[in-house]
Amino acid sequence: YVESEGNVVEPHTVSPQTAFMFKSGCSEKVDSARATLPQRELTLDLRHNKLQRTLHDRLVVMYGPSNVGTELPSGVSTKIDLIVRQDSGYWFYEIKTALTPRACLREALGQLLEYAFWPGAQEAERFIVVGETALDKDGKEYLRRLKQRFSLPLEYEHISI
């Protein structure tokens, strides 16, 4: 925002809207990258991609390969990290690499709500935030309050690689 001097284009105006359509499978992505900057070289660990692959493989064992897909269009010009198809509906997973469950929940909640409730979106039966740190007592209480007050089908899943 600062570098663009306030001339930021919202993502939905950049990409054409693509209708939601479930497709099983896991998109292939790299796990690391190399960036060369003046006077130094960095190796980037693309943790999100590793977590997505691990979660995909775990869910395929549980629900079958034809019921699990990654990076699927939400129907509102965004992509959902991972979806599980059930007879009763879809489960949307949002993977976060933040260091705490609180930060993961904060970063994921708005995305999940947009994926399911923006006009033209595919509604979801469950929302699952995925993070590398186990949910603590305060996080459990926060989820309980959100479910009770707003009837959100929100969950948190711990994953490690």
Side-chain angles (χ1 to χ4, degrees):
Y1 178 81
V2 172
E3 292 176 358
S4 71
E5 297 178 355
N7 297 317
V8 176
V9 178
E10 291 192 50
H12 71 275
T13 61
V14 174
S15 303
Q17 188 162 321
T18 304
F20 173 83
M21 186 169 60
F22 181 83
K23 180 183 173 191
S24 64
C26 186
S27 55
E28 292 297 323
K29 295 185 199 172
V30 296
D31 292 338
S32 63
R34 184 165 289 222
T36 303
L37 302 173
Q39 301 178 357
R40 65 182 176 166
E41 188 174 294
L42 302 173
T43 299
L44 307 174
D45 183 19
L46 302 179
R47 196 135 191 90
H48 183 279
N49 296 349
K50 290 179 183 179
L51 292 169
Q52 186 177 51
R53 170 54 76 182
T54 300
L55 180 62
H56 173 270
D57 293 348
R58 178 195 308 172
L59 294 172
V60 162
V61 170
M62 297 168 68
Y63 303 108
S66 64
N67 293 311
V68 181
T70 63
E71 298 298 329
L72 299 174
S74 65
V76 293
S77 301
T78 55
K79 290 188 177 180
I80 304 167
D81 284 344
L82 193 141
I83 298 177
V84 171
R85 177 177 53 189
Q86 297 288 330
D87 290 337
S88 55
Y90 296 99
W91 299 352
F92 291 177
Y93 288 77
E94 185 60 31
I95 301 165
K96 293 299 173 191
T97 59
L99 299 177
T100 66
R102 179 180 183 176
C104 291
L105 288 163
R106 181 186 309 119
E107 291 175 14
L109 190 53
Q111 285 179 264
L112 289 165
L113 293 174
E114 180 182 314
Y115 296 158
F117 298 121
W118 194 264
Q122 171 65 48
E123 288 200 27
E125 184 180 69
R126 291 170 67 186
F127 303 130
I128 302 100
V129 177
V130 180
E132 291 187 87
T133 306
L135 196 61
D136 58 10
K137 181 180 142 194
D138 288 339
K140 290 177 185 175
E141 174 60 17
Y142 181 58
L143 283 180
R144 186 195 67 74
R145 286 182 178 186
L146 289 173
K147 289 179 187 182
Q148 180 182 28
R149 178 133 185 218
F150 302 107
S151 299
L152 290 174
L154 183 62
E155 300 169 37
Y156 182 90
E157 188 169 322
H158 168 240
I159 188 171
S160 58
I161 52 175

